[in-house]
Amino acid sequence: LEGLDKTIAANVEAGIVPWICLIGPPAWAMADEHHSAGYEPFTFKADAWRNLVHTLATRYKGRIWGFEWLNEIVPGNKTREPVAEYLDFCRIGTETVRKVDPSMKVQLAGGLWPRNFRNDLLNAGVGDYIDVLPIHYGGETGVRDARHDVAAVGKADAVAIWDNETARGLSVWKMPPEEALTKSVVQSKWMMRQWPAELTAGAKGIVYFGGHTASAGNWTYLLDATTPRPAAATFAVLSASIGCADPVATAYVGADSVLHIFRKRDGAGIAVAATVSDADDAASSLNIPAGARFIVRTDHQGNQRRLEANNGALTQPLAAMPVILDGFDLPTLAVHAGL
């Protein structure tokens, strides 16, 4: 575990509270006929699994948030009873963790699918052994579906919905630098369109997939240690603007405009606004009471512009790439948006 020790220590030193996503246990904790987990439940040795979890939880107590039991699993073919097997896997793991440190939290396998597999697990009682149900690469609909499924088994107040793996991949290998920079903006567009919508739909956490360096780019926001992609700035912009604001609602305004509305700590309203369509040539015009003399418009790279609200109303052209509009009087905006 020395390598994991170093990783966790580096996270803690940087002020990050990590969790351990256990993609698969060692082969000795699995049934003899299995050698790797893959992306599916499997038969396992209960005592070996319990001892492994106890060792990890004890070793990292006070330094990690908790655990995630497997990743992106489907029913698969390593067991005839995938629901019962994975339910028992979660039960043993979570009960062991909670005995070591009741403050640790547990996530269901992120991106577990299809939905009927998730619902079978929820109906079987997996909600008793998780604190978070994470989806992957979701949007407003994915979050609402997950909330519905959790509420259907009476766990709406006990199990939070996260999207704990979300980003937009794009390889820029052998692209000329200017083309790579321009095309990489699709990553920023994904973040600006998906993340505010997920938060206003009820997601309690969003985790970016990719923080390592990759010379081809792919999912991450760093080509190397000193070369960030546009997504890095977008991450900072979203964190600074809506990261500490409370989600209020999503409102569809006019023919083709959508606002994801948040309440700032000072009570002012802030909205992430775009066209409903995500087509590159989409366009609409937003005309809405602001309840303020001006609104500050921020784009995905942090460029800001002061917009005068003539006669108390804001008129702003919108495109598929969202912008952040900050400074609304929230009650005024809420009334107009029908909230």
Side-chain angles (χ1 to χ4, degrees), residues 28 31 42 86 98 118 163 170 206 208 221 237 285 314-315:
W28 49 260
F42 44 82
Y86 183 62
R98 288 173 177 169
R118 183 174 78 193
D163 188 337
L170 177 71
I206 293 177
Y208 187 88
Y221 52 74
V237 168
S285 181
L314 174 71
T315 300

Side-chain angles (χ1 to χ4, degrees), residues 63-99:
R63 290 186 287 164
I64 64 172
W65 178 90
F67 294 87
E68 180 179 352
W69 302 142
L70 307 183
N71 178 57
E72 293 187 344
I73 60 172
V74 298
N77 58 17
K78 286 188 171 71
T79 171
R80 292 180 179 272
E81 300 290 341
V83 171
E85 201 75 51
Y86 183 62
L87 177 66
D88 208 33
F89 186 83
C90 291
R91 180 188 61 79
I92 293 172
T94 301
E95 287 179 349
T96 304
V97 166
R98 288 173 177 169
K99 286 179 181 177

Side-chain angles (χ1 to χ4, degrees), residues 160-206:
I161 307 302
W162 286 13
D163 188 337
N164 76 353
E165 184 176 319
T166 175
R168 171 70 158 80
L170 177 71
S171 174
V172 294
W173 187 249
K174 293 186 177 181
M175 277 189 193
E178 185 175 347
E179 180 184 1
L181 182 67
T182 302
K183 288 188 174 180
S184 289
V185 171
V186 298
Q187 293 184 298
S188 298
K189 183 179 177 182
W190 171 271
M191 297 160 71
M192 293 285 286
R193 290 191 69 89
Q194 303 299 110
W195 294 6
E198 289 187 285
L199 291 171
T200 53
K204 299 301 183 183
I206 293 177

